[in-house]
């Protein structure tokens, strides 16, 4: 299933993508795409609904973040061997973990606001993993049982804030609008192999990122298991699993960073596409 949330910000309705391309309102079936709705029983309830009989939402409706009420937005840094190489960083021995503020979350096609005083705003297409049930001390062999599905994430970053302003990476990752997710939460059963998905990102029509989850250092199973050794994972938590090469910071001979008035397009095989325009903070 491809699940989404449709409507004005703060008033999104849960929906499902019909095979004919229409958005069907499932608010009579579940309250939101959030929390326990992401459990096996919650998803089974949606799957059992008669989609053809559900109301059609306008095709031009805004698409919101595909998961509501996100408790934790966890990110994995330097998790692609080819991306680590372009940054000159050593291959990590264990996953590098940092948090992104949930207040950064927006819809997949919402505008991205360049933060005040930003000099180095950057892009990162990433595979998002959505947790479906509470996970604590999970064995790697069982880790996929805790995954509800997957989504596209643009893990926006302000590199000066992240790297040059001391402290942890979180402040370079958490500006408002720096976490577009969606358009869909694609349930786990529809993704045969999360470690073999093509992914790409363009800015103003120029393709900067053109990679694959094949080059992940730590795969989805390992990441879910690993994180559960240090914190419980809750239904609706999102794990952003790292980015392939081609970020602005890694461009040669000089880095390339975002400015106002540009358009980003990005996508992952089978998970849909996003489009964002960059605007001034006070626009």
């Amino acid at each position: 299933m491809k699940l989404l949330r449709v409507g004005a910000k703060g008033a999104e309705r849960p929906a499902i993508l019909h095979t004919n391309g229409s958005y069907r309102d499932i608010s009579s079936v579940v309250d939101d795409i959030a929390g326990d709705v992401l459990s096996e029983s919650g998803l089974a309830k949606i799957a059992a609904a008669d989609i053809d009989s559900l109301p059609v939402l306008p095709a031009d409706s805004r698409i919101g973040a595909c998961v509501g009420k996100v408790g934790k937005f966890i990110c994995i840094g330097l998790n692609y061997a080819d991306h680590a190489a372009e940054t000159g960083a050593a291959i990590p021995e264990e996953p590098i973990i940092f948090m992104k503020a949930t207040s950064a979350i927006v819809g997949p096609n919402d505008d991205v606001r360049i933060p005040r005083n930003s000099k180095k705003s950057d892009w990162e297409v990433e595979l998002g993993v959505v947790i479906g049930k509470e996970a604590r001390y999970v064995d790697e062999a069982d880790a996929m049982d805790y995954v509800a599905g997957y989504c596209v994430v643009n893990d926006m970053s302000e590199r000066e804030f992240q790297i040059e302003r001391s402290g942890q990476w979180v402040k370079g990752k958490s500006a408002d609008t720096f976490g577009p997710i969606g358009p869909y939460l694609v349930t786990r059963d529809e993704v045969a192999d999360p470690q073999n998905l093509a992914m790409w990102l363009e800015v103003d029509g120029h393709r900067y990122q053109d990679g694959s989850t094949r080059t992940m250092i730590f795969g989805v199973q390992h990441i879910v298991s690993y994180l559960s050794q240090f914190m419980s994972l809750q239904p609706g938590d999102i794990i952003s699993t790292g980015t392939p090469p081609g970020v602005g910071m890694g461009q040669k001979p000089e880095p390339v960073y975002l400015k106002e008035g540009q358009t980003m397009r990005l996508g992952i095989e089978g998970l849909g596409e996003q489009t964002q325009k960059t605007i001034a903070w006070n626009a």
Side-chain angles (χ1 to χ4, degrees):
M1 296 182 291
K2 291 182 173 64
L3 306 176
L4 62 162
R5 300 169 67 249
V6 176
K9 189 173 182 179
E12 295 92 346
R13 302 175 74 84
I16 187 169
L17 182 68
H18 194 284
T19 54
N20 65 12
S22 64
Y23 306 145
R24 297 301 177 104
D25 186 342
I26 58 172
S27 58
S28 61
V29 182
V30 295
D31 291 337
D32 200 356
I33 309 300
D36 290 339
V37 169
L38 299 169
S39 67
E40 290 184 9
S41 60
L43 294 176
K45 185 177 181 182
I46 297 172
D50 180 7
I51 296 177
D52 290 330
S53 68
L54 295 172
V56 177
L57 294 167
D60 59 352
S61 296
R62 170 187 175 269
I63 300 175
C66 60
V67 180
K69 305 180 182 71
V70 176
K72 292 192 288 297
F73 200 164
I74 309 166
C75 301
I76 309 298
L78 293 174
N79 193 33
Y80 282 66
D82 37 7
H83 172 54
E86 78 170 343
T87 64
I91 299 295
E93 295 183 3
E94 296 187 37
I96 296 172
I97 302 170
F98 61 93
M99 297 294 219
K100 196 176 184 86
T102 56
S103 54
I105 293 173
V106 289
N109 305 317
D110 289 345
D111 292 336
V112 164
R113 294 181 180 272
I114 302 298
R116 188 177 296 168
N117 301 318
S118 170
K119 300 174 184 176
K120 299 180 179 181
S121 288
D122 204 349
W123 57 81
E124 295 187 21
V125 60
E126 304 203 0
L127 174 67
V129 177
V130 182
I131 297 298
K133 65 178 179 179
E134 189 171 60
R136 289 190 179 91
Y137 299 109
V138 172
D139 290 335
E140 188 166 336
D142 300 323
M144 300 305 284
D145 294 341
Y146 295 83
V147 174
Y150 305 93
C151 63
V152 181
V153 176
N154 190 353
D155 176 24
M156 297 287 302
S157 310
E158 212 298 337
R159 302 301 189 186
E160 184 191 26
F161 300 173
Q162 175 191 357
I163 298 169
E164 301 171 35
R165 297 283 297 273
S166 78
Q168 298 183 350
W169 286 3
V170 63
K171 70 183 179 185
K173 298 283 188 170
S174 296
D176 290 354
T177 75
F178 265 32
I181 62 171
Y184 317 117
L185 185 162
V186 180
T187 51
R188 189 180 76 228
D189 59 295
E190 290 201 3
V191 179
D193 183 2
Q195 304 307 147
N196 189 27
L197 300 175
M199 54 204 308
W200 55 273
L201 182 145
E202 298 174 350
V203 179
D204 292 340
H206 178 81
R207 183 158 295 199
Y208 284 96
Q209 293 190 274
D210 200 353
S212 169
T213 58
R214 290 192 305 273
T215 65
M216 273 190 189
I217 299 165
F218 305 105
V220 172
Q221 279 185 272
H222 183 82
I223 290 169
V224 172
S225 173
Y226 184 85
L227 289 172
S228 77
Q229 310 306 310
F230 302 99
M231 66 189 85
S232 63
L233 302 175
Q234 310 296 327
D237 285 351
I238 296 175
I239 306 167
S240 199
T241 56
T243 197
V247 298
M249 179 175 64
Q251 297 303 306
K252 300 292 188 287
E254 297 291 337
V256 176
Y257 294 113
L258 292 164
K259 56 184 182 292
E260 297 159 19
Q262 295 188 290
T263 299
M264 289 177 284
R265 289 184 62 245
L266 58 148
I268 299 179
E269 180 182 357
L271 305 185
E273 298 183 7
Q274 303 182 354
T275 301
Q276 297 113 25
K277 293 181 179 180
T278 57
I279 63 172
W281 175 251
N282 294 321

